[in-house]
Amino acid sequence: MEKVRYWVDRCILLVTCTLTVFLVAGAIWQVFTRFVLQNPSVFTEEVLRFSFIWVGLLGASYAFGVKEHIALTFLMSKWKHAKDKKAAELIIEVTVLVFMIVVFIIGGTQLMLASMTQTSPVLGLPMGYVYAALPLSGLLSVYYIVTNRLMARKEAARGRDAA
């Protein structure tokens, strides 16, 4: 399980880091063409917008997976006792799990499929490709919730065995 998790993490980081570098380079290009060449690049804005959607959703899934999502760290810091933290963590995980399944996976898949015939104005790209970030992010978040829970149980079992 740890090896699969390692490779999932690496793939997400590779994609998000590459897209982030692309976002910076594209923004620089957009500014250069607009202010220096006085002829703004037509496609850059749309490409950057779509890339930003993918970076944001994949990055949020990864942050949730490594338990560094801002909402999680904020809420968890408010609890003093270990039992309260465990209960809060479980409530958060179940809430996020249900939300990810219903909104991101089911709703995102419906949106993705419904928009495959709609194309973006400049690139002519099927909008379903852009919206595919929703179900993918939902699947990754569900994967992280499940693996985090399984790894926590495994670690707790090791702790009991050592005691």
Side-chain angles (χ1 to χ4, degrees), residues 8-44:
V8 170
D9 289 349
R10 293 297 153 242
C11 287
I12 292 172
L13 289 174
L14 177 68
V15 170
T16 55
C17 288
T18 302
L19 285 174
T20 301
V21 169
F22 181 73
L23 281 167
V24 171
I28 291 169
W29 177 252
Q30 179 71 16
V31 169
F32 177 76
T33 59
R34 182 178 305 257
F35 295 110
V36 175
L37 301 179
Q38 299 295 317
N39 185 16
S41 175
V42 178
F43 72 94
T44 326

Side-chain angles (χ1 to χ4, degrees), residues 9 12 20 32-33 43 46 59 67 72 88 95 107 117 121 133 148 152 160:
D9 289 349
I12 292 172
T20 301
F32 177 76
T33 59
F43 72 94
E46 194 168 280
K67 297 186 177 187
L72 294 178
T95 304
T117 57
N148 284 346
R160 284 192 303 268

Side-chain angles (χ1 to χ4, degrees), residues 98-112:
V98 169
F99 183 81
M100 287 297 165
I101 291 171
V102 172
V103 176
F104 275 55
I105 297 173
I106 295 170
T109 301
Q110 290 172 349
L111 177 63
M112 178 189 74

Side-chain angles (χ1 to χ4, degrees), residues 37-97:
L37 301 179
Q38 299 295 317
N39 185 16
S41 175
V42 178
F43 72 94
T44 326
E45 182 182 340
E46 194 168 280
V47 170
L48 294 178
R49 187 176 339 114
F50 296 162
S51 298
F52 190 70
I53 291 167
W54 274 83
V55 167
L57 290 172
L58 291 177
S61 295
Y62 179 78
F64 185 76
V66 294
K67 297 186 177 187
E68 291 298 326
H69 195 282
I70 190 165
L72 294 178
T73 55
F74 175 76
L75 287 173
M76 296 312 288
S77 68
K78 298 296 179 190
W79 302 101
K80 302 284 186 239
H81 303 304
K83 275 189 174 184
D84 293 340
K85 281 187 179 189
K86 292 230 184 257
E89 187 175 312
L90 184 62
I91 291 168
I92 291 169
E93 286 177 351
V94 169
T95 304
V96 171
L97 185 69

